[in-house]
Amino acid sequence: MVDIEGAAVPERLLITRTTTGDGVSIVILAGEVDLDGSSQLRDVLLSSVRSAPGTVVDFGEVGFLDSSGINVLISAHRAAESRGVWFRIAAARDAVERVLRLVGVDALIDCHPSVEQALTA
């Protein structure tokens, strides 16, 4: 199943949600995760953790992440914990990975080098 959520802000953030055969959601991001797109991203991630046994957020095509994006990730992680489902980050590029490390998100949320590794962790 593939649901294309559409651009949060045209040409800035594209959010695509797919579901694996066992119901796990993969939320694929492309562009910049900032204040302009964080509201739509929050909606997609919270919907995902409410309906799936696990969620992987694919950052492979994201070149920028700001504090509003960090807050969205933490909110989704907490929502997943409260439901007893898992939430993981995958394929963060160097710049995004550095931000995740600097603010300690990598200590809170499991981060993996690829989507495949996140799915099998």
Side-chain angles (χ1 to χ4, degrees), residues 42-53:
R42 180 183 314 275
D43 292 345
V44 172
L45 292 180
L46 291 178
S47 172
S48 178
V49 300
R50 281 193 296 265
S51 62

Side-chain angles (χ1 to χ4, degrees), residues 24 65 91 93 114:
V24 172
L65 173 68
R93 292 174 162 180
S114 71

Side-chain angles (χ1 to χ4, degrees), residues 8-78:
V9 176
E11 300 178 20
R12 300 256 329 255
L13 179 62
L14 179 65
I15 304 168
T16 307
R17 181 175 166 188
T18 65
T19 305
T20 65
D22 55 356
V24 172
S25 285
I26 302 172
V27 178
I28 304 161
L29 307 178
E32 298 179 356
V33 179
D34 59 15
L35 184 60
D36 291 333
S38 63
S39 177
Q40 184 176 2
L41 179 58
R42 180 183 314 275
D43 292 345
V44 172
L45 292 180
L46 291 178
S47 172
S48 178
V49 300
R50 281 193 296 265
S51 62
T55 299
V56 174
V57 185
D58 180 354
F59 272 86
E61 296 299 320
V62 173
F64 178 80
L65 173 68
D66 75 359
S67 61
S68 63
I70 296 289
N71 289 331
V72 167
L73 293 172
I74 292 170
S75 294
H77 168 73
R78 288 182 177 156

Side-chain angles (χ1 to χ4, degrees), residues 7 12 53 68 70 73 89 95 105-106 108-109 117:
R12 300 256 329 255
S68 63
I70 296 289
L73 293 172
I89 295 172
V105 169
D106 64 331
L108 179 67
I109 302 170
Q117 289 171 318

